[in-house]
């Protein structure tokens, strides 16, 4: 008696996203929005690399050989983390891309994606929560000091959108969990 291996049925992927189930339009938009809400803050931070304090009165953050790589690296890291949120709405957040050695093509368990995403979303919410409360005027939360109101307004306009980062990631996490359920 011979046994033949039965190949598993292929999972049909959604053509636009590569996911097993369609991604809601709102989730796709949120994933695209996350890098954009962080961009003003990243751009606002860049003059610090060259010793310009942007009205904070803090002065230079050090030698150019240290400050330039630090500030640019921090901005690039922030945007890279924001771009990782696309994994919550793309096929590479469900199945490891084939080009990855040893694990390429294997299905990712939901927890492998959700645990770091939820922790990141909660961390970003906690990190920016105090700033948001200070902008809203909640007693006990002080906004960072600036040399005048114009610098303070520029700071608020550039940094306030970043307070959406955590809640947006958490919304994508809920959508990802619901879509991958069952």
């Amino acid at each position: 008696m011979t046994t033949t291996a039965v190949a598993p049925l292929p999972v049909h992927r959604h053509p636009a996203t590569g996911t097993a189930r369609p991604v809601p339009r709102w989730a796709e938009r949120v994933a695209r929005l996350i890098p954009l809400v962080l961009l003003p803050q990243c751009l606002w931070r860049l003059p610090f690399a060259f010793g310009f304090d942007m009205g904070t009165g803090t002065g230079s953050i050090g030698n150019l050989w240290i400050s330039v790589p630090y500030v640019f690296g921090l901005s690039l890291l922030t945007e890279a983390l924001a771009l990782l949120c696309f994994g919550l709405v793309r096929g590479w957040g469900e199945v490891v891309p084939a080009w990855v050695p040893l694990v390429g093509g294997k299905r990712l368990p939901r927890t492998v994606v959700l645990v770091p995403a939820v922790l990141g979303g909660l961390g970003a919410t906690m990190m920016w929560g105090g700033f948001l409360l200070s902008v809203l005027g909640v007693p006990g939360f002080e906004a960072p000091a600036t040399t005048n109101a114009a610098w303070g307004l520029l700071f608020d306009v550039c940094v306030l959108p970043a307070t959406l980062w955590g809640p947006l990631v958490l919304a994508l996490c809920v959508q990802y969990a619901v879509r991958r359920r069952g």
Side-chain angles (χ1 to χ4, degrees), residues 15-107:
T17 59
T19 57
R21 294 186 180 151
V23 175
R25 189 175 243 164
W26 70 265
E28 180 70 30
R29 289 181 179 151
V30 166
R32 291 173 189 249
L33 182 65
I34 290 173
L36 297 177
V37 299
L38 293 171
L39 188 59
Q41 174 226 356
C42 290
L43 294 175
W44 180 85
R45 186 186 300 135
L46 294 180
F48 284 93
F50 302 102
F52 191 69
D53 68 7
M54 299 294 286
T56 61
T58 58
S60 174
I61 62 171
N63 183 335
L64 286 179
W65 292 103
I66 295 170
S67 65
V68 171
Y70 171 74
V71 172
F72 277 79
L74 185 58
S75 293
L76 289 173
L77 177 64
T78 301
E79 285 298 319
L81 290 172
L83 291 172
L84 278 176
C85 294
F86 277 105
L88 296 169
V89 295
R90 294 286 187 269
W92 53 270
E94 297 177 3
V95 177
V96 179
W99 56 266
V100 176
L102 303 175
V103 293
K106 292 188 179 180
R107 186 171 172 83

Side-chain angles (χ1 to χ4, degrees), residues 134-156:
S134 73
V135 170
L136 295 174
V138 174
F141 293 92
E142 297 298 321
T146 55
T147 56
N148 61 44
W151 281 117
L153 179 62
L154 179 64
F155 177 79
D156 290 348

